[in-house]
Amino acid sequence: SSPYYDYMIVDGVTYEPVNDGGNSVFEIPVAAFDTEIAVTANTVAMSVPHEIAYTLVLDAASAVPAE
């Protein structure tokens, strides 16, 4: 929940935010729930922009259908 991410890299593909304001929102491919997804996100919140590696795990039990 930060407005300072300007791109995200997943499997070598760069994704831009899908929103124009507020916290950065990205749509990325997810092959399966409950598995680790390695991503790299570039933040501009520090003194100089830099990439940070994250591991995401999307919990199937907490997923809700999109409206």
Side-chain angles (χ1 to χ4, degrees):
S1 59
S2 170
Y4 301 110
Y5 292 103
D6 60 351
Y7 64 83
M8 182 176 284
I9 301 170
V10 181
D11 290 330
V13 178
T14 301
Y15 295 88
E16 303 290 329
V18 296
N19 60 324
D20 290 326
N23 290 333
S24 302
V25 175
F26 297 89
E27 290 183 6
I28 61 170
V30 175
F33 288 106
D34 302 317
T35 62
E36 293 184 350
I37 304 168
V39 303
T40 301
N42 190 67
T43 181
V44 294
M46 312 286 180
S47 57
V48 295
H50 64 280
E51 294 180 344
I52 302 172
Y54 293 99
T55 300
L56 307 178
V57 177
L58 304 176
D59 178 35
S62 64
V64 296
E67 294 182 13

